[in-house]
């Protein structure tokens, strides 16, 4: 037991728990007006599922991550079936069909799909890592990801589908994917970009890209979110206005303030100093993820840790980027801070995967 406690990555645990604490504070603050009328169920629901997820995460540490390799076919098929179920039986919200309803509980399968694909891709690539030497070899890996990618894109959920690409690229680079091939991919993407623009992207997605380049193009529509977000962050100053005292959030000028734009609430209420603390906590999570990946005893563990870390990095960069106006608005939640039980459970189980790999590493350095 003592040896186990010494091998636990306490930095990763403390940083993750601290971010969850910030998340509960921000969700409560963002829904404070609801709480005043006795409807504080956002934070209550988030807290309940956080506790359940932590218990599941602790239990999962008793099982060796390497045992999941033998179930990848079942996991992959289950993932595809779940996404197909959303397509035919899911319910719509905010113009997208992404949720399944079971009684009073609704959840977003595409969130869980990210972690399932991390496991499936890690096992798929581990068996082939010895001969992943040419671009054509990686084409099989891309095909393996293609079906869930398209099913999520059809919901439509551009942010989550792009997170699949970020996960794959991170795992591909650590397995030897060369930079020159990324250039080829970039050229290929540029070649098909007109087709994507005309036949794949929805009108609202096109508008988001246009508004990203010029928010004033639609200041009371698609550009409103970004404009209000930057006002909220800027008004926080050095130390912020104080918890529950953010005017942009409390007076409902800031849309989606408890989900996609929760970082703007942090900037307004905690200021530059508070935001820096949050960013340092995120840096600690990413740092530990990289260390765990580099020290893993086997390729499967290395790929697993890389996939989870890539997922976190993508979500952090895209979400914070869109709140400050340097990335398009894609509806990507901020790990541990944004309200959403599906996202929260996925992130906690992602940390559990990192801990599982680190516990079974013979010697963890740095």
């Amino acid at each position: 037991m003592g040896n186990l406690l010494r091998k636990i990555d306490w930095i990763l645990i403390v940083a993750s728990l601290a971010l969850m604490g910030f998340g509960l504070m921000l969700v409560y603050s963002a829904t404070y007006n609801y709480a005043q009328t006795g409807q504080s169920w956002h934070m209550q629901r988030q807290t309940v599922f956080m506790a359940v997820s932590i218990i599941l995460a602790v239990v999962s540490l008793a099982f060796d991550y390497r045992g999941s390799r033998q179930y990848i076919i079942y996991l992959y098929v289950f993932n595809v079936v779940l996404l197909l179920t959303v397509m035919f039986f899911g319910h719509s919200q905010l113009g997208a069909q992404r949720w399944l309803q079971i009684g009073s509980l609704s959840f977003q399968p595409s969130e869980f799909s990210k972690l399932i694909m991390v496991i499936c891709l890690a096992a798929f690539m581990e068996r082939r890592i010895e001969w992943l030497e040419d671009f054509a070899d990686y084409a099989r890996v891309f095909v393996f990801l293609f079906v869930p990618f398209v099913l999520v894109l059809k919901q439509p959920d551009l942010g989550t589908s792009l997170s699949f690409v970020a996960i794959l690229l991170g795992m591909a680079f650590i397995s030897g994917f060369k930079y020159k091939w990324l250039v080829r991919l970039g050229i290929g993407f540029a070649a098909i970009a007109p087709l994507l623009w005309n036949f794949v992207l929805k009108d609202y997605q096109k508008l988001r890209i246009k508004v990203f380049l010029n928010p004033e193009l639609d200041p009371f529509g698609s550009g409103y979110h970004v404009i209000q977000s930057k006002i909220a962050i800027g008004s926080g100053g050095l130390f912020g206005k104080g918890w529950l005292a953010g005017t942009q959030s409390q007076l409902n000028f800031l849309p989606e303030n408890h989900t996609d734009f929760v970082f703007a609430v942090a900037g307004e209420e905690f200021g530059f100093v508070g935001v820096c603390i949050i960013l340092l906590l995120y840096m600690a999570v990413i740092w530990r993820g990289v260390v765990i990946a580099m020290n893993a005893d086997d390729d499967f563990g290395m790929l697993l840790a890389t996939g989870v870390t890539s997922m976190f990095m993508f979500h952090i960069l895209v979400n914070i980027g869109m709140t400050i106006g340097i990335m398009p608005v894609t509806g990507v939640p901020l790990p541990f801070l944004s309200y959403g039980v599906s996202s929260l459970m996925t992130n906690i189980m992602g940390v559990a995967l990192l801990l599982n790999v680190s516990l079974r590493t013979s010697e963890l350095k740095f």
Side-chain angles (χ1 to χ4, degrees), residues 5-123:
L5 291 175
R6 283 195 299 271
K7 295 189 72 173
I8 287 282
D9 197 319
W10 292 108
I11 296 177
L12 176 59
I13 291 175
V14 170
S16 301
L17 289 174
L19 286 167
M20 291 181 216
F22 269 113
L24 291 179
M25 291 176 65
L26 291 169
V27 168
Y28 182 81
S29 178
T31 58
Y32 182 60
N33 288 330
Y34 299 107
Q36 287 180 319
T37 58
Q39 301 178 33
S40 59
W41 64 272
H42 290 85
M43 192 197 72
Q44 293 171 4
R45 191 166 184 259
Q46 191 89 331
T47 304
V48 169
F49 280 91
M50 181 183 297
V52 171
S53 301
I54 291 174
I55 292 171
L56 291 175
V58 172
V59 171
S60 72
L61 296 181
F63 300 91
D64 194 323
Y65 70 91
R66 288 165 288 205
S68 62
R69 282 180 292 199
Q70 57 188 311
Y71 301 111
I72 66 158
I73 298 300
Y74 304 107
L75 283 172
Y76 187 84
V77 172
F78 171 75
N79 190 32
V80 171
V81 170
L82 197 60
L83 294 175
L84 285 171
T85 304
V86 175
M87 180 180 294
F88 293 107
F89 303 105
H91 75 272
S92 299
Q93 186 175 332
L94 299 176
Q97 188 167 315
R98 304 174 186 171
W99 291 266
L100 284 179
Q101 187 85 29
I102 301 177
S104 60
L105 176 66
S106 65
F107 65 99
Q108 193 173 345
S110 60
E111 284 293 329
F112 303 118
S113 179
K114 291 181 292 189
L115 213 53
I116 293 174
M117 287 313 300
V118 166
I119 297 171
C120 291
L121 279 170

Side-chain angles (χ1 to χ4, degrees), residues 103-169:
S104 60
L105 176 66
S106 65
F107 65 99
Q108 193 173 345
S110 60
E111 284 293 329
F112 303 118
S113 179
K114 291 181 292 189
L115 213 53
I116 293 174
M117 287 313 300
V118 166
I119 297 171
C120 291
L121 279 170
F124 185 80
M125 293 175 68
E126 182 215 14
R127 296 174 182 176
R128 295 157 178 80
I129 201 166
E130 297 298 330
W131 51 258
L132 285 174
E133 298 179 353
D134 199 359
F135 186 81
D137 298 332
Y138 282 94
R140 305 183 192 185
V141 184
F142 299 147
V143 170
F144 185 74
L145 186 66
F146 182 74
V147 174
F149 173 85
V150 171
L151 290 176
V152 172
L153 190 62
K154 287 285 289 181
Q155 292 181 1
D157 190 350
L158 179 62
T160 300
S161 59
L162 289 177
S163 71
F164 286 158
V165 176
I167 289 167
L168 176 58
L169 287 177

